[in-house]
Amino acid sequence: MFSNSALKVELKVESIEVISLMSKWMLDPLLPELLNELGKRGYITARVKPVSTGGYNILSIEPNVVAIKGSTSVLYDLVKRSLSVESSDPGVLVKVFDEVEEILKSLGNDPAKGVLFYELTAKAKLSGSRFTFGKPVKMGDSMGVELLVVPTTFVLANGDPNSTQWLHLDVKPIWSSWSSGKVYYELIFICRDTREKLLGIVSNFNKILNDIIVAINEALRLAS
């Protein structure tokens, strides 16, 4: 059972703060050539310096950021060999991600052959009333306090978090708003699947996010 304060809870979307689509590569993609081409297309790009002993040094614009256009960033993590596009606009993200992969393919660096898996992550801000599970949990005499159980996490039924197909949703309070009448929540969305499936999710992310909120609200209602 939820606490009485949870019976009126209804979460709603305030904003999409950031969406990131990442490709994990077997080997480093042709980053210097990619950045050179992005620079020709109006992106602000990081400096890439060849190293005499082999490889390159990347002078990132910001940590891991190798190219920027408007509010959209292209990131590369040398350690993880992960190439990502980040934006708060789903439509722009799809366009830039397609552009980056099209450039790499034209350079002979085909993502279909070099990418191990794709992962989509997103962060959204929600709002609603304060909700908790059940009654306060007593910690015993040693501490003399009571704790609230605060939901909630959703994962893919029969899924495996170690696989390349996974879905994970976390909803947690933004604690600075916890004592106010309107509580804000952070939603973290993580999904690994095929390139086509993830691009489809991004293209319809506003609708999918609203569907997620409807499902969460229904779960809260049924649990109450």
Side-chain angles (χ1 to χ4, degrees):
M1 291 285 290
F2 283 91
S3 65
N4 290 337
S5 63
L7 299 181
K8 298 179 181 179
V9 69
E10 177 135 342
L11 300 177
K12 67 176 184 178
V13 180
E14 292 284 337
S15 63
I16 299 172
E17 297 191 341
V18 66
I19 308 173
S20 175
L21 184 54
M22 180 272 289
S23 55
K24 170 72 172 179
W25 288 72
M26 176 75 75
L27 301 171
D28 288 315
L30 297 173
L31 195 61
E33 292 83 353
L34 171 64
L35 296 185
N36 181 58
E37 186 60 35
L38 288 175
K40 295 177 183 178
R41 301 187 185 196
Y43 288 77
I44 299 171
T45 59
R47 290 182 60 197
V48 179
K49 298 178 64 177
V51 178
S52 60
T53 54
Y56 299 89
N57 281 332
I58 301 174
L59 305 180
S60 300
I61 302 168
E62 298 173 8
N64 292 335
V65 175
V66 295
I68 293 177
K69 192 174 188 179
S71 59
T72 302
S73 301
V74 179
L75 300 89
Y76 188 69
D77 189 318
L78 279 167
V79 176
K80 297 179 179 179
R81 295 194 301 278
S82 61
L83 182 64
S84 307
V85 176
E86 284 189 357
S87 179
S88 59
D89 185 321
V92 173
L93 187 146
V94 170
K95 180 180 178 181
V96 174
F97 194 85
D98 276 339
E99 184 177 27
V100 168
E101 291 212 326
E102 174 264 318
I103 292 172
L104 287 170
K105 188 173 182 179
S106 72
L107 294 169
N109 204 178
D110 191 351
K113 297 179 180 179
V115 172
L116 297 172
F117 66 87
Y118 291 91
E119 182 175 273
L120 172 65
T121 58
K123 178 183 176 184
K125 188 176 184 180
L126 315 178
S127 65
S129 56
R130 177 174 166 175
F131 64 95
T132 61
F133 273 122
K135 297 179 180 180
V137 178
K138 294 183 179 181
M139 288 295 292
D141 296 336
S142 59
M143 293 189 68
V145 296
E146 294 182 333
L147 301 179
L148 296 173
V149 180
V150 181
T152 191
T153 296
F154 297 85
V155 297
L156 186 66
N158 302 317
D160 181 352
N162 295 304
S163 77
T164 56
Q165 290 191 315
W166 177 245
L167 177 62
H168 182 166
L169 288 171
D170 266 329
V171 181
K172 60 182 180 180
I174 297 175
W175 293 112
S176 58
S177 69
W178 186 247
S179 59
S180 64
K182 184 178 183 180
V183 180
Y184 290 98
Y185 296 85
E186 178 183 87
L187 180 144
I188 303 297
F189 175 94
I190 301 171
C191 184
R192 290 193 295 274
D193 213 306
T194 64
R195 177 186 187 278
E196 291 71 24
K197 179 70 175 290
L198 295 182
L199 284 174
I201 291 174
V202 176
S203 297
N204 296 284
F205 194 73
N206 287 296
K207 180 181 183 304
I208 289 171
L209 183 57
N210 284 321
D211 288 345
I212 289 170
I213 300 307
V214 169
I216 292 174
N217 284 330
E218 180 64 10
L220 298 179
R221 185 188 68 79
L222 291 175
S224 66

